Amino acid sequence: QIGKNTNLVIEYSKNLTGITESVDMSEVTTRIVPQGANELLLPEYYIDSPFVGNYYQPLISHMEFSEVEVVSKDEATDDKPEFTQEQAYAELRRLVKELYNKGIDKPTFNYDISFIDLSNTVQYSKFKNMHSLNIGDIVRVKHQDLNLDLDCRIRNYTYNALTYEFENLQV
């Protein structure tokens, strides 16, 4: 991880001049139908995310886990040990839970933030050298009306070299 925590707060009615939010829901899944090898399906058919009720409807994906297969005693070898149907069900459930833990059930948010660099104002002139911003640094963005209080990592920024001010951050 690059960057550091800057302790810079960009806040509504202080130095925030604009914020644009974009939400990417294209990869969000809240109901997974896992399938193992040889068309192995769970008895309950699907597994819901804890966030399934947060959306207008379940966002369903069929996912294949071909590495999960039932291996009977007769088919078992040194490379493929015996694997019962119940063990296969448990493994499918574990793999789906792992996907939910990684955040497959949450959208990706991007913010484009415009703000006034207070270090260039007369009131804050003694704090001019207190902070610098770089790609990867973390800033806190607060907006009470939008119910935002986020620690955001800077992905891109616009810097005005004539006024020595950061004009825009993408987090």
Side-chain angles (χ1 to χ4, degrees):
Q1 295 266 354
I2 62 170
K4 63 184 182 317
N5 192 340
T6 63
N7 295 319
L8 173 66
V9 177
I10 301 172
E11 188 169 2
Y12 177 69
S13 76
K14 178 182 170 192
N15 57 348
L16 178 70
T17 59
I19 187 167
T20 304
E21 176 185 67
S22 61
V23 181
D24 181 7
M25 295 281 294
S26 63
E27 300 293 319
V28 177
T29 298
T30 58
R31 177 171 287 166
I32 295 176
V33 179
Q35 180 177 339
N38 301 320
E39 300 182 20
L40 176 70
L41 294 171
L42 292 173
E44 63 269 24
Y45 192 62
Y46 59 82
I47 299 174
D48 281 344
S49 156
F51 300 111
V52 71
N54 292 8
Y55 303 96
Y56 59 95
Q57 67 184 26
L59 304 169
I60 304 168
S61 286
H62 175 266
M63 296 192 177
E64 291 188 33
F65 300 96
S66 58
E67 70 276 11
V68 178
E69 71 176 302
V70 176
V71 179
S72 67
K73 283 184 182 182
D74 301 338
E75 300 169 330
T77 64
D78 289 339
D79 294 339
K80 273 188 174 179
E82 179 184 358
F83 206 68
T84 66
Q85 190 168 17
E86 288 306 314
Q87 288 173 315
Y89 290 158
E91 182 64 9
L92 287 173
R93 291 179 186 112
R94 186 192 70 75
L95 290 168
V96 170
K97 185 177 180 185
E98 193 174 287
L99 288 172
Y100 287 143
N101 288 339
K102 288 181 181 177
I104 196 171
D105 53 353
K106 297 175 189 125
T108 303
F109 294 90
N110 293 306
Y111 295 95
D112 196 357
I113 299 165
S114 301
F115 69 104
I116 298 170
D117 190 353
L118 293 177
S119 66
N120 290 329
T121 63
V122 174
Q123 296 89 340
Y124 288 85
S125 61
K126 47 187 152 176
F127 302 110
K128 187 163 191 69
N129 297 322
M130 197 162 178
H131 74 287
S132 64
L133 297 177
N134 296 298
I135 300 292
D137 286 352
I138 298 172
V139 296
R140 172 155 276 177
V141 178
K142 292 183 176 185
H143 194 300
Q144 235 176 353
D145 294 347
L146 297 177
N147 198 23
L148 292 177
D149 189 357
L150 308 168
D151 285 332
C152 303
R153 188 169 299 278
I154 298 172
R155 293 183 299 110
N156 196 359
Y157 61 79
T158 305
Y159 183 78
N160 187 329
L162 298 175
T163 61
Y164 303 106
E165 291 182 342
F166 289 94
E167 294 178 342
N168 186 297
L169 299 176
Q170 291 178 356
V171 294

